[in-house]
Amino acid sequence: MPKAAPNEMPAKRAAPRSGPPRIGFVSLGCPKALVDSERIITKLRAEGYELSASYEGADAVVVNTCGFLNTAKEESLAAIGEALAENGKIIVTGCLGVESDRILAVHPGVLAITGPQQYEAVVEHVHKAVPRPHDPFLDLLPPPGIRLTPRHYAYLKISEGCNNTCSFCIIPHLRGKLASRPIGDVMREAERLVGAGVKELLVISQDTSAYGLDISYAKSAWRGKERETRFLSLAKALASLGAWVRLHYVYPYPHVDQVLPLMAEGKVLPYLDIPFQHASPSVLKAMRRPGRQDKTLDRIRSWRTICPDLAIRSTFIVGFPGETEEDFVFLLDWLSEARLTRVGCFKYEDVDGAPANALPGQLPQEVKEERYARLMQHQQAISTALLAERVGKTIEVIVDEIDEDGAIARSAWDAPEIDGNVYLNGETGLVVGDRARVIVEASDEYDLWASVAELATGPHQSRRVPRPGNPSLRLALESASKFTHR
């Protein structure tokens, strides 16, 4: 019997079985990696492979890794180890795949390693590990492909890579320079998704507002019309599909202003996810980020003049090398003035290969922890006040979950999994994916509580929600098992 690698349990081997080959899938990291997983799974399903919801039920397992922060790398290595111990036939892909030596040093038993976006290479390695079926039933594959999100929302990736040179980031090393998809290709995918029942499109990339820059905004055809591969053109085209359109990872370039009228008119959700990262000019300079946050505050004010309901989500890094107490207080004061709707915070940590690792003024972990807690407490008070302003108003929501207590929904100001919820206690006449008008009755620092006024059934129609005396609803939510997405 072969000897196990150091610190590694002997791998289990999948038992032979009859029927189509089954592949397990573990997807780690950001929504962009999740889209990569969906593309790989779609290709495998098109070839007749089936998905397994457990390690023991799989003939092989693909682990799509994250390789940005060191903590994410450790999580990916742990996931690979778990898969090896439970199954034994493991193919590794994703961002950590660019560090194949690091993976092999810990887990020499993996079958193959590829980097991000290498869909065909992953499929080829699956073929070697588990030969493809002789006669795949192509007609069984749904038109939008296989997705790992609930059926009522989907991520729409418009580009790969990034041209920015932030000192704390290695995304250009992992995923390359900006590579935009032609707008015609993006819109045909969006159209298929909406046609399959998707009610919300979440636009993602590394730098959404730079869309098309790398291909000089080249035109491509959709619905018989030549359109520029450009941020505003994409927003207008997506707005015509009748689904919610949510814009993520938007850098505040000047042309972003042009999309605000679409939000004010209700054609695009009044939501901008902008990674500001900090506010102090000296910290932003060290990060290699735009440093005029006073100008950014002016932009935010002008945006809210155009679209008063605008929600801005952002993320910030505290404890960056050289960040002084004065810098941190500057950030808190900036947040008080900006009054952002949703804020996430990260404690700085070195990323292998990032220039920031060599910066002077590295801060102790306890300082990072203390500043993280202060920022979150500071923002919590801002969020509490902003949400309290929603009480008594009628807003539109989309339903994400149904349970015995009622429904859990989201407003236009909330992205799935990262923002807040709207709880509709006792509302049993709903199904997942419904869009409804609700009256907000209460709030706390993150969430809202509301009751349904009417249920939207189309872009220009609505109906009252039925209130059966003894409702009995069964929900069939077509989503992948927890095994496929962590």
Side-chain angles (χ1 to χ4, degrees):
M1 179 176 179
K3 185 178 179 180
N7 303 317
E8 190 166 282
M9 294 294 291
K12 295 181 180 179
R13 299 292 169 180
R17 61 181 59 82
S18 60
R22 300 175 66 84
I23 305 298
F25 218 101
V26 178
S27 188
L28 304 170
C30 63
K32 293 175 284 294
L34 186 68
V35 172
D36 293 346
S37 296
E38 290 173 343
R39 290 176 178 172
I40 295 168
I41 292 172
T42 295
K43 176 66 173 174
L44 292 174
R45 286 288 288 118
E47 293 181 348
Y49 291 90
E50 293 186 357
L51 289 182
S52 172
S54 65
Y55 290 116
E56 58 270 20
D59 297 292
V61 175
V62 177
V63 181
N64 190 358
T65 60
C66 180
F68 184 46
L69 299 174
N70 288 337
T71 48
K73 294 178 183 180
E74 291 304 317
E75 180 185 4
S76 293
L77 289 171
I80 295 168
E82 177 184 294
L84 274 170
E86 295 296 327
N87 182 277
K89 298 178 73 173
I90 309 304
I91 296 162
V92 178
T93 188
C95 288
L96 188 59
V98 301
E99 299 185 47
S100 57
D101 291 345
R102 179 173 186 165
I103 296 171
L104 291 172
V106 181
H107 302 302
V110 299
L111 297 179
I113 300 172
T114 76
Q117 304 153 227
Q118 297 181 5
Y119 317 123
E120 295 301 327
V122 175
V123 173
E124 288 177 9
H125 288 303
V126 170
H127 291 167
K128 294 176 184 177
V130 186
R132 60 182 293 183
H134 176 66
D135 186 24
F137 295 96
L138 298 179
D139 56 326
L140 297 182
L141 187 67
I146 304 300
R147 294 188 292 109
L148 300 179
T149 53
R151 66 176 302 174
H152 65 289
Y153 69 81
Y155 294 105
L156 182 67
K157 186 156 62 169
I158 64 173
S159 66
E160 297 284 0
C162 183
N163 288 347
N164 296 306
T165 58
C166 304
S167 64
F168 54 84
C169 183
I170 58 170
I171 291 298
H173 169 68
L174 293 175
R175 290 183 171 265
K177 292 289 188 179
L178 177 67
S180 300
R181 298 173 60 197
I183 191 171
D185 292 351
V186 173
M187 289 307 304
R188 280 185 284 276
E189 179 183 349
E191 205 167 28
R192 288 193 299 271
L193 290 168
V194 173
V198 168
K199 306 292 182 63
E200 179 180 7
L201 295 167
L202 298 104
V203 179
I204 59 170
S205 67
Q206 293 300 144
D207 186 352
T208 296
S209 39
Y211 177 58
L213 176 65
D214 57 305
I215 56 176
S216 301
Y217 309 112
K219 291 184 177 181
S220 64
W222 178 65
R223 289 185 174 177
K225 180 181 178 180
E226 292 289 318
R227 303 166 192 265
E228 286 188 313
T229 299
R230 189 184 289 271
F231 178 66
L232 181 60
S233 300
L234 178 67
K236 288 180 176 179
L238 290 173
S240 71
L241 298 180
W244 275 13
V245 177
R246 191 179 300 278
L247 302 175
H248 285 280
Y249 314 120
V250 178
Y251 284 68
Y253 305 138
H255 66 266
V256 171
D257 298 6
Q258 299 170 353
V259 83
L260 268 296
L262 295 179
M263 296 180 174
E265 295 165 12
K267 296 178 180 178
V268 173
L269 291 181
Y271 181 100
L272 282 176
D273 178 0
I274 302 176
F276 290 122
Q277 306 298 9
H278 214 279
S280 165
S282 60
V283 175
L284 289 168
K285 182 177 180 181
M287 289 179 168
R288 301 179 186 170
R289 305 278 296 181
R292 295 296 304 276
Q293 292 306 300
D294 54 338
K295 297 293 185 182
T296 301
L297 287 172
D298 290 341
R299 297 275 301 290
I300 291 173
R301 293 187 194 101
S302 69
W303 291 343
R304 287 174 175 155
T305 299
I306 299 169
C307 182
D309 273 345
L310 176 67
I312 300 176
R313 154 169 258 285
S314 191
T315 52
F316 297 88
I317 299 173
V318 296
F320 194 79
E323 181 193 58
T324 64
E325 177 65 16
E326 182 181 9
D327 292 324
F328 179 70
V329 171
F330 187 100
L331 170 58
L332 295 184
D333 291 342
W334 188 90
L335 286 170
S336 294
E337 193 161 357
R339 298 185 83 226
L340 304 183
T341 312
R342 301 295 186 187
V343 166
C345 184
F346 296 92
K347 292 161 279 190
Y348 172 80
E349 62 177 86
D350 285 343
V351 175
D352 292 345
N357 300 356
L359 290 175
Q362 299 281 335
L363 299 179
Q365 187 63 28
E366 56 266 26
V367 172
K368 300 176 188 177
E369 297 282 354
E370 188 266 346
R371 290 179 181 172
Y372 171 85
R374 283 166 62 193
L375 186 145
M376 295 308 293
Q377 183 178 24
H378 184 88
Q379 176 60 31
Q380 190 176 82
I382 296 171
S383 177
T384 299
L386 289 174
L387 291 182
E389 295 174 3
R390 304 289 183 190
V391 176
K393 296 184 177 179
T394 300
I395 64 174
E396 186 174 9
V397 300
I398 190 167
V399 176
D400 281 341
E401 298 179 41
I402 303 289
D403 61 23
E404 63 275 11
D405 296 321
I408 302 174
R410 286 179 293 108
S411 73
W413 310 293
D414 300 304
E417 300 186 349
I418 58 173
D419 293 330
N421 293 314
V422 181
Y423 293 96
L424 307 174
N425 293 338
E427 299 288 355
T428 57
L430 299 168
V431 296
V432 168
D434 272 345
R435 283 163 49 180
R437 301 280 293 172
V438 304
I439 301 171
V440 180
E441 299 170 338
S443 66
D444 64 10
E445 62 270 30
Y446 300 118
D447 303 313
L448 299 173
W449 283 259
S451 59
V452 174
E454 59 185 18
L455 179 65
T457 56
H460 308 291
Q461 304 177 63
S462 64
R463 63 176 172 83
R464 293 288 171 184
V465 179
R467 307 294 179 124
N470 184 22
S472 177
L473 299 176
R474 292 187 61 83
L475 170 68
L477 175 60
E478 294 181 9
S479 62
S481 71
K482 292 181 179 180
F483 175 71
T484 62
H485 180 211
R486 295 182 179 180

